[in-house]
């Protein structure tokens, strides 16, 4: 099907306040990404009426219009031509959007920028770990036995998958070091080196730190003795805050040195001094402080949820999707990883997965209720996306647009969260935050988590069907009366 891209671009420009309202504009595979001077000039209703536009939303100071692969670059080219808009990169648009954010939004943006590039590695590791958990879970498939007990020949496969799954978590500081250095403007290779330094095999493994600190089995915490200064010889496997803070310091040191060191010796001096200074500070000061801060934060979170589990779960289940709208949900990746490192599992991520499923269920109900092909197409594709962990199309393109489905999804998410929290459901790793999520749940909790999934599917679908059906019927009657 051919489209008049010239006319579409003209209408988009008209409905976003004209070319003069554009600060920066770029596009990705499916969306126009535009930093606007004044988003109040956007005519969202008019944009939604365009057949080629599948939805729009604003996130992190950037207005995004979902168009689709293949068409978006042609629309963008016409926009640039008609509006005399300078071509920009996605990074340029993001930077322009950052300038309009407050301090909290900028902090959240840092977490997003650091964790999003490494999220595929974490998710893949989580899925592999989940598969391994199923192999080793007693009573999951065979009464009183695990698959490994029943079929010893699987032990080699189990060991191989276990090594693959653990790699991303064991060397997580290296992944974060690379991504954080890139975000903070430093050398990415030095970020990797600093991250690997914090998990060096000569350091006491972080998983054994608690036993050594408590003196169990005769264990003790080893130290570096630097002229009387004792530095704990402890690693930071699976931990986030130490390397995040250390990478920021490393980048500040490197960026301070570069303009002050002559070019002739810069390659020799800058990397050595940067790693020596930041590595010492990471092991002596930053690491111990960040570790205890992370433990304190997770202990406080666990205490609050244990104090009133049903209330905490209900609030989290209801508020997680609104946090996604603001982009603040990225902070929970760090919380999940900290909980996994210190508590052996996270109770946050299972509730996140159910929230995603609830949004997909509400969008699926709207697919059955929609009366035109454009709405049906948007609802079906966004529902599938949400069922596999990407909820923005469902929320912005369908549920928020009709309001009641969004509220129905929040209600379903809250009910499901309460159910699994009262049952102390935990995930051993972060996986795909949707229907495949059960793979990453600790095996003994899988049955209760599946019950939570049913709640997250049935409640939003049922409420949307009951409430939105009446809303759409009333709107259709009103429209018919206007055309009578």
């Amino acid at each position: 099907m051919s489209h008049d891209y010239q006319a579409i671009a003209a209408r988009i420009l008209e409905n976003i306040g004209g070319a003069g309202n554009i600060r920066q504009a770029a596009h990705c595979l499916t969306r126009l990404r535009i930093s606007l001077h004044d988003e109040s000039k956007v005519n969202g209703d008019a944009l939604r009426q365009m057949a080629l536009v599948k939805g729009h939303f604003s996130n992190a100071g950037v207005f995004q219009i979902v168009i689709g692969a293949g068409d978006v670059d042609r629309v963008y080219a016409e926009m640039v031509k008609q509006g005399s808009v300078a071509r920009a990169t996605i990074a340029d648009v993001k930077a322009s959007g950052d300038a309009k954010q407050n301090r909290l939004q900028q902090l959240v943006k840092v977490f997003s920028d650091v964790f999003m590039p490494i999220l595929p590695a974490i998710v893949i590791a989580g899925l592999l770990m989940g598969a391994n958990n199923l192999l080793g879970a007693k009573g999951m498939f065979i009464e009183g036995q695990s698959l490994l007990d029943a079929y010893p020949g699987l032990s080699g496969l189990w060991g191989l998958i276990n090594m693959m799954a653990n790699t991303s978590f064991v060397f997580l500081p290296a992944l974060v070091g690379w991504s954080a250095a890139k975000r903070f403007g430093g050398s990415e290779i030095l970020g990797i080196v600093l991250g690997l330094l914090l998990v060096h095999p000569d350091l006491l493994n972080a998983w054994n730190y608690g036993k050594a600190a408590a003196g169990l089995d005769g264990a003790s915490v080893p130290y570096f003795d630097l002229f009387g200064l004792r530095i704990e010889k402890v690693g930071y496997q699976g931990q986030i805050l130490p390397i995040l803070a250390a990478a920021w310091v490393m980048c500040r040191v490197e960026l301070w040195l570069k303009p002050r060191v002559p070019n002739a010796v810069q390659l020799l001096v800058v990397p050595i001094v940067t790693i020596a200074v930041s590595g010492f500070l990471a092991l002596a000061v930053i690491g111990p402080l960040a570790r205890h801060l992370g433990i304190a934060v997770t202990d406080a979170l666990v205490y609050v949820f244990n104090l009133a589990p049903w209330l905490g779960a209900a609030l989290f289940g209801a508020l997680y999707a609104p946090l996604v709208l603001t982009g603040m949900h990225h902070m929970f990746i760090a919380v999940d990883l900290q909980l996994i490192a210190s508590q052996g599992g996270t109770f946050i991520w299972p509730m996140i997965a159910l929230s995603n499923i609830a949004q997909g269920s509400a969008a699926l109900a709207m697919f059955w209720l929609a009366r035109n092909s454009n709405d049906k197409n948007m609802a079906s594709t966004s529902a599938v996306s949400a069922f596999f962990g990407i909820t923005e199309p469902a929320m912005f393109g369908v549920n928020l647009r009709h309001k009641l489905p969004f509220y129905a999804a929040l209600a379903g998410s809250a009910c499901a969260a309460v159910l699994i929290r009262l049952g102390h459901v935990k995930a051993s790793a972060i996986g795909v935050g949707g229907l495949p999520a059960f793979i990453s749940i600790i095996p003994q909790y899988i049955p209760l988590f599946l019950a939570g999934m049913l709640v997250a599917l049935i409640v939003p679908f049922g409420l949307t069907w009951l409430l939105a059906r009446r809303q759409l019927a009333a709107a259709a009657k009103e429209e018919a009366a206007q055309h009578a």
Side-chain angles (χ1 to χ4, degrees):
M1 180 179 177
S2 61
H3 297 282
D4 187 348
Y5 296 108
Q6 187 174 3
I8 292 168
R11 286 187 62 191
I12 289 176
L13 284 171
E14 177 187 352
N15 290 303
I16 61 173
N21 195 33
I22 298 176
R23 295 160 61 105
Q24 299 268 10
H27 74 88
C28 60
L29 184 64
T30 60
R31 286 168 283 172
L32 294 173
R33 296 171 178 254
I34 309 168
S35 174
L36 299 172
H37 292 289
D38 184 0
E39 287 192 13
S40 66
K41 293 183 179 180
V42 173
N43 187 340
D45 291 335
L47 285 175
R48 278 192 291 268
Q49 297 303 316
M50 298 175 62
L52 203 58
V53 174
K54 297 179 175 64
H56 63 79
F57 58 95
S58 181
N59 185 33
V62 178
F63 187 73
Q64 302 185 38
I65 302 174
V66 183
I67 291 178
D71 293 317
V72 67
D73 52 343
R74 295 179 174 87
V75 174
Y76 177 75
E78 283 296 333
M79 281 182 58
V80 168
K81 180 180 177 181
Q82 294 180 31
S84 299
V85 178
R87 289 181 177 269
T89 65
I90 293 176
D92 294 332
V93 176
K94 284 185 176 181
S96 181
D98 288 347
K100 299 186 288 183
Q101 296 179 306
N102 58 40
R103 293 287 185 184
L104 179 59
Q105 289 173 322
Q106 290 174 1
L107 176 63
V108 173
K109 184 69 164 51
V110 169
F111 277 88
S112 173
D113 290 344
V114 170
F115 287 111
M116 289 308 290
I118 66 174
L119 197 55
I122 296 173
V123 169
I124 290 170
L127 291 175
L128 289 172
M129 189 173 290
N132 242 22
N133 288 342
L134 293 178
L135 287 174
K138 289 186 180 294
M140 178 60 65
F141 302 102
I142 303 171
E143 186 176 353
Q145 285 186 307
S146 68
L147 288 177
L148 288 175
D149 295 330
Y151 305 101
L154 292 174
S155 60
L157 176 64
W158 184 88
L160 180 61
I161 295 176
N162 193 51
M163 184 180 69
M164 292 178 179
N166 285 332
T167 298
S168 291
F169 292 107
V170 170
F171 297 103
L172 184 61
L175 299 178
V176 176
W178 163 76
S179 189
K182 184 177 181 180
R183 171 61 178 78
F184 298 137
S187 168
E188 296 163 33
I189 192 66
L190 293 185
I192 295 174
V193 171
L194 184 62
L196 291 174
L197 171 67
L198 295 184
V199 293
H200 195 283
D202 283 351
L203 302 176
L204 174 68
N205 193 297
W207 313 113
N208 299 324
Y209 176 74
K211 181 188 294 185
L216 299 178
D217 300 329
S220 61
V221 178
Y223 292 90
F224 290 106
D225 190 343
L226 300 181
F227 309 105
L229 175 64
R230 300 181 74 190
I231 300 173
E232 288 184 338
K233 200 174 181 180
V234 179
Y236 296 90
Q237 287 84 355
Q239 298 186 40
I240 295 297
L241 293 180
I243 181 58
L244 198 59
W248 183 84
V249 170
M250 184 204 78
C251 292
R252 299 284 71 75
V253 172
E254 183 185 8
L255 295 174
W256 185 87
L257 285 171
K258 278 187 173 180
R260 291 170 173 82
V261 175
N263 290 337
V265 293
Q266 194 169 101
L267 186 60
L268 178 66
V269 173
V270 173
I272 293 176
V273 175
T274 297
I275 287 297
V277 172
S278 58
F280 171 79
L281 290 175
L283 291 172
V285 182
I286 298 170
L289 287 176
R291 177 173 58 233
H292 291 301
L293 175 61
I295 291 172
V297 169
T298 53
D299 285 348
L301 188 64
V302 171
Y303 174 78
V304 170
F305 271 84
N306 287 339
L307 187 65
W310 67 270
L311 179 60
L315 289 174
F316 187 89
L319 295 177
Y320 179 75
L323 288 175
V324 173
L325 301 180
T326 67
M328 292 180 66
H329 63 298
H330 294 296
M331 295 186 70
F332 289 108
I333 298 173
V335 176
D336 279 318
L337 293 172
Q338 187 67 36
L339 282 168
I340 291 168
S342 61
Q343 302 286 330
T346 173
F347 58 87
I348 295 291
W349 186 81
M351 293 189 286
I352 290 174
L354 294 182
S355 175
N356 295 344
I357 292 171
Q359 292 294 332
S361 179
L364 185 63
M366 290 305 298
F367 164 75
W368 291 105
L369 294 172
R371 287 176 166 79
N372 65 68
S373 58
N374 192 46
D375 286 348
K376 279 187 174 292
N377 181 54
M378 185 63 190
S380 61
T381 55
S382 61
V384 172
S385 174
F387 286 146
F388 285 89
I390 307 299
T391 57
E392 284 84 353
M395 287 195 293
F396 291 109
V398 181
N399 298 344
L400 274 172
R401 181 176 156 198
H402 296 285
K403 295 185 177 63
L404 288 177
F406 185 69
Y407 302 145
L410 298 187
S413 173
C415 293
V418 169
L419 175 64
I420 66 167
R421 184 61 198 132
L422 291 176
H424 306 289
V425 172
K426 289 184 179 181
S428 60
I430 296 173
V432 176
L435 294 178
F438 72 93
I439 297 174
S440 299
I441 302 298
I442 295 174
Q444 68 192 79
Y445 301 121
I446 287 179
L448 187 56
F449 182 77
L450 292 176
M453 286 178 62
L454 284 176
V455 172
L457 286 166
I458 294 170
V459 173
F461 190 95
L463 288 176
T464 300
W465 185 271
L466 291 173
L467 300 176
R469 188 179 187 181
R470 294 179 182 178
Q471 183 187 52
L472 292 173
K477 187 181 293 185
E478 182 178 345
E479 185 179 348
Q482 290 175 352
H483 289 86

